[in-house]
Amino acid sequence: KYGPLLKNFYRKVDSYVGQVLEFADKDTTVMMMSDHGMGPLYGAFNVNVWLKKKGYLVLKKNAQSRVRSTLFNLGMNPRNIYKGLTKVGLGWLAWKLPKNLRNKALKSTTLSFQDVDWSKTTAYSIGHFGNIVINLKGRQPQGIVEPGEECETLKKKIAADLETVELPTGKTAKMSITYNEDIYSGPYVANGPDITFNVNNYTYDTSYHFEFGSNKIFSEHLVSQSATHRREGIFLISGPQIKKGE
């Protein structure tokens, strides 16, 4: 559908690169690079919904939380609310409203962290690109998991469960899973996510938009975008000191 538009856009960008090269004399080295790559996006993996189903995240049993949970299971969630607003031409409201007002309205009607029973929850997701945080005693305000062996055992169990996740196609998802101590260093390692993962090389988004974006483990992306970031970007360089292939 958008093939010609995308090709024309890349041609336009390429023309700008040409203009830059016109300004560069023969002694100038020119570099072009990106801070990330791009690739197709097929949907969203709603991490907290999955954690809830697996029993790592537990909801409160008070009346308000029960009502919100019931409405959530019936489809009253940010994804469907945004979809409904978009159908009547009001999708822009979701982004124009101040974030605090938008979140306050959503928390009064849909499931959120205010409905989580932290005294029984061992793990939750917050942040971007597949972050899972252990509800660690002494670190989280209402932490219940003991540091050390209990925490490490829990992390391995969650990782093992992630490797059994099935895609909407019925195939087992290919998970790339890392632990914080393996990829981070320095004095603030403990403040980072305990587990970071991506689904099928980022083809399913795990970014944090809302605590519970949809009542389904896999759903359409919140704003129906068709592509997202990849770790591998581009790097091009040309100049008198640069030799091809070296």
Side-chain angles (χ1 to χ4, degrees):
K1 182 179 178 181
Y2 299 107
L5 178 64
L6 292 173
K7 285 182 179 179
N8 290 336
F9 174 78
Y10 282 121
R11 289 191 181 103
K12 189 70 173 178
V13 172
D14 189 58
S15 72
Y16 294 142
V17 174
Q19 291 177 32
V20 172
L21 293 175
E22 286 179 3
F23 282 103
D25 59 31
K26 63 179 182 178
D27 296 321
T28 301
T29 298
V30 178
M31 292 184 290
M32 181 168 68
M33 61 187 296
S34 67
D35 63 332
H36 59 78
M38 291 295 290
L41 180 67
Y42 302 136
F45 177 65
N46 297 292
V47 188
N48 282 320
V49 176
W50 177 79
L51 289 169
K52 181 168 74 73
K53 182 179 180 181
K54 300 299 290 186
Y56 297 111
L57 186 150
V58 180
L59 300 179
K60 294 176 182 176
K61 297 188 181 299
N62 60 47
Q64 296 95 328
S65 293
R66 284 179 180 273
V67 169
R68 282 190 286 265
S69 180
T70 299
L71 291 173
F72 179 80
N73 291 331
L74 291 172
M76 187 71 170
N77 54 66
R79 167 64 199 168
N80 288 340
I81 292 172
Y82 178 73
K83 194 173 182 179
L85 288 172
T86 301
K87 281 185 177 180
V88 296
L90 296 175
W92 56 270
L93 278 174
W95 311 110
K96 292 294 185 181
L97 280 176
K99 189 176 181 179
N100 62 326
L101 291 179
R102 182 188 69 194
N103 290 347
K104 185 176 181 180
L106 284 172
K107 285 183 178 182
S108 66
T109 55
T110 70
L111 211 58
S112 70
F113 279 160
Q114 71 177 342
D115 299 301
V116 172
D117 185 346
W118 298 106
S119 69
K120 297 178 180 178
T121 291
T122 56
Y124 61 98
S125 179
I126 189 170
H128 290 285
F129 296 106
N131 293 341
I132 293 179
V133 180
I134 303 300
N135 191 23
L136 197 66
K137 188 177 291 185
R139 184 182 65 178
Q140 267 62 39
Q142 301 177 63
I144 63 170
V145 179
E146 291 288 347
E149 184 178 350
E150 183 180 344
C151 178
E152 294 307 311
T153 299
L154 177 61
K155 284 161 62 175
K156 290 176 182 177
K157 186 175 185 301
I158 294 172
D161 283 341
L162 280 171
E163 290 176 342
T164 68
V165 169
E166 289 189 355
L167 298 171
T169 61
K171 294 182 178 180
T172 302
K174 294 178 181 178
M175 296 285 185
S176 175
I177 304 169
T178 54
Y179 300 116
N180 62 344
E181 63 271 18
D182 295 332
I183 55 177
Y184 300 116
S185 62
Y188 302 105
V189 170
N191 296 339
D194 296 288
I195 298 172
T196 303
F197 71 96
N198 71 74
V199 185
N200 278 40
N201 192 28
Y202 301 97
T203 52
Y204 288 89
D205 195 7
T206 51
S207 290
Y208 169 84
H209 291 289
F210 300 98
E211 290 99 336
F212 299 89
S214 169
N215 58 326
K216 299 176 181 178
I217 293 176
F218 282 96
S219 66
E220 295 178 25
H221 189 270
L222 181 68
V223 293
S224 299
Q225 68 186 62
S226 61
T228 191
H229 297 184
R230 294 293 188 275
R231 292 179 65 181
E232 297 78 18
I234 62 169
F235 178 78
L236 305 174
I237 186 167
S238 177
Q241 306 300 319
I242 307 303
K243 296 180 180 180
K244 186 175 181 180
E246 295 185 9

